[in-house]
Amino acid sequence: MHKIGYFLTNGFQVMALGTQSVFEFANVVAKEEIYQVTNYSLLGGEVKSSAGASINTRQASAAADVDTWMVSGIVDPTASDTSPDELNFIKGAAGRSQRIAGLCTGAFVLAEAGLLEGRRVTTHWAYASVLKERFPATRVEADHIFITDGSIWTSAGLSAAMDLVLGLVEKDLGADIANNVARVMVMYHRRSGGQSQHSQMLKMAPRSDRVQTALEYARSNLAGPLTVDVLAREAHLSERQFSRIFYSETGLSPAKAVEQLRLEAARNMIERGHHSLEIIARDTGFRDRRHLREVFVRKLGVSPQSLRRDAREDF
C-alpha cells in the first residue's frame, strides 16, 4: 500500500482536498486499495480552510511511513504565516518520503522549507514572478501545468493539481489506469506537465456567443476544413461579418486562430506521447508530418521530436 499524507496549514486552499478523489478512483479502477490517504497538520485537530470550513487532521508526528507528501498552499502566498516548526517538519518529511508535491502555491511552502534550491518548479501564474524574486535559486518555469524534478513535484493552479496527481498515478500504476481514472472522473484528458497554463481558447476570450460557438466547432473539428465560410456558417453570419467580428473580439484572423488551436492540440498530443507524428498531423488538421514540423519550428522554435523528448524527460 502506498501511503499519501496531505499536510495542511491554516488557510489551506480547500480545493486541494479535491485531488484526493484521484487516489480514491485509482483504487476503484485498480480494484484494490493501492493508496491510503490521511490528512495531517503539525498539531493535529481541526484546521480551517480558505473557504472557512474546518477539517479534522492527525498530528504530523504520528505519520508513519508516508510515501508521498502533498502540501497545499494558501490563496495569497505573500501573506503566508507558515511557522518554523511546520517548515522543519516539511523539510524532514521530504527526506523520509519517496516524493513531495507542492500543490499550486504550495511551492512557496516547499521553497521556504529549503527544498527548491536549484530545482525546476512551477506555481500559479499569478505568483510565479514572486516565487522567482523571493527564491532566486529556484528555477521557476511559469508556463507549465506541473513539473517533476527528482522527488519534487509542483503544480500550477489547483485544477492543474488534478493533472499532477494523475501523473503520480501514471508513474505508479501506468498510463492505462491513469487514463481510466481520468475517464471515470470525466476529465477531458490527462494533461502532460509541459502543457501551457493558458489555453488558446482562454487567450482569445471571445465576448459573443457566435464567435465562441465557431471556436468550439473549430476545436472539435480540427481534422476537417475550417475555412472562413465554414466557421461563418456555424456562427450564422456572413463571411464578411464573421471575419470583422472575429478579429475585433480576438485580435486574430480566423485562419490564425485555427492555426493556434491546431498547434495547441498537436502539442498536447505530442507531450502525451501516445501517437505517431503522422497520426497527430492528420488528427489536428496539418497536411502531413512535414507541415506539422514547419509550423512548430516557426511558432514554437522547437521541432515536434524535441518537444516529445523534453516531455518524456520532465516526466
Side-chain angles (χ1 to χ4, degrees):
M1 182 180 294
H2 192 103
K3 295 183 179 179
I4 308 291
Y6 277 72
F7 188 80
L8 307 177
T9 59
N10 279 317
F12 74 91
Q13 291 173 297
V14 70
M15 190 175 171
L17 298 182
T19 61
Q20 296 181 5
S21 295
V22 178
F23 295 120
E24 175 188 4
F25 284 107
N27 289 342
V28 171
V29 170
K31 298 181 180 179
E32 61 177 300
E33 191 176 2
I34 294 171
Y35 295 108
Q36 181 185 78
V37 179
T38 306
N39 295 314
Y40 295 97
S41 63
L42 188 66
L43 300 178
E46 289 193 349
V47 178
K48 184 175 287 188
S49 73
S50 58
S54 295
I55 186 167
N56 197 41
T57 64
R58 295 185 61 189
Q59 189 170 357
S61 60
D65 304 323
V66 169
D67 300 293
T68 298
W69 282 100
M70 313 291 285
V71 179
S72 173
I74 62 175
V75 173
D76 182 1
T78 63
S80 173
D81 60 352
T82 308
S83 72
D85 287 341
E86 288 171 326
L87 295 176
N88 285 335
F89 174 80
I90 290 169
K91 186 173 183 178
R96 294 187 297 270
S97 60
Q98 294 179 20
R99 59 199 178 192
I100 188 167
L103 306 179
C104 191
T105 59
F108 281 80
V109 182
L110 301 190
E112 289 172 9
L115 298 176
L116 301 187
E117 186 169 345
R119 300 277 191 174
R120 295 177 56 244
V121 301
T122 192
T123 191
H124 192 285
W125 60 266
Y127 293 104
S129 61
V130 179
L131 182 64
K132 180 62 178 175
E133 182 179 349
R134 283 194 175 184
F135 305 97
T138 299
R139 298 163 55 195
V140 180
E141 299 183 17
D143 200 27
H144 282 67
I145 293 296
F146 68 86
I147 288 178
T148 309
D149 189 331
S151 62
I152 305 290
W153 295 58
T154 51
S155 81
L158 281 169
S159 62
M162 302 292 283
D163 299 286
L164 180 150
V165 178
L166 278 169
L168 293 174
V169 171
E170 180 169 338
K171 190 78 169 177
D172 296 337
L173 307 178
D176 287 345
I177 286 183
N179 288 334
N180 283 334
V181 171
R183 190 175 300 114
V184 169
M185 295 183 67
V186 199
M187 296 175 68
Y188 179 61
H189 60 70
R190 188 192 72 74
R191 297 179 293 179
S192 63
Q195 184 173 341
S196 171
Q197 290 194 39
H198 305 282
S199 74
Q200 292 300 327
M201 291 288 282
L202 287 175
K203 287 179 180 178
M204 288 183 241
R207 296 186 301 275
S208 69
D209 290 343
R210 289 185 174 187
V211 174
Q212 181 70 37
T213 297
L215 281 172
E216 290 289 355
Y217 175 84
R219 189 170 64 173
S220 300
N221 296 274
L222 292 175
L226 294 173
T227 57
V228 173
D229 64 307
V230 169
L231 297 178
R233 282 199 303 272
E234 290 298 317
H236 302 291
L237 293 168
S238 69
E239 293 182 35
R240 184 175 179 180
Q241 283 180 308
F242 176 74
S243 295
R244 178 177 55 79
I245 293 172
F246 191 96
Y247 186 84
S248 70
E249 293 192 12
T250 67
L252 298 170
S253 68
K256 288 292 184 183
V258 167
E259 182 181 65
Q260 290 192 14
L261 291 176
R262 283 176 166 152
L263 186 66
E264 181 178 64
R267 178 176 178 175
N268 292 343
M269 292 180 71
I270 288 167
E271 288 172 341
R272 293 168 69 191
H274 297 159
H275 301 287
S276 69
L277 295 181
E278 288 81 4
I279 291 175
I280 292 171
R282 180 197 68 196
D283 289 352
T284 55
F286 293 93
R287 291 192 300 272
D288 50 32
R289 176 174 176 160
R290 179 177 295 180
H291 183 216
L292 177 69
R293 186 183 189 283
E294 289 174 356
V295 175
F296 262 70
V297 172
R298 172 164 49 87
K299 290 292 186 178
L300 302 179
V302 296
S303 68
Q305 295 89 339
S306 296
L307 185 66
R308 171 163 286 174
R309 182 174 60 251
D310 290 347
R312 287 172 176 169
E313 288 175 357
D314 281 349
F315 195 74

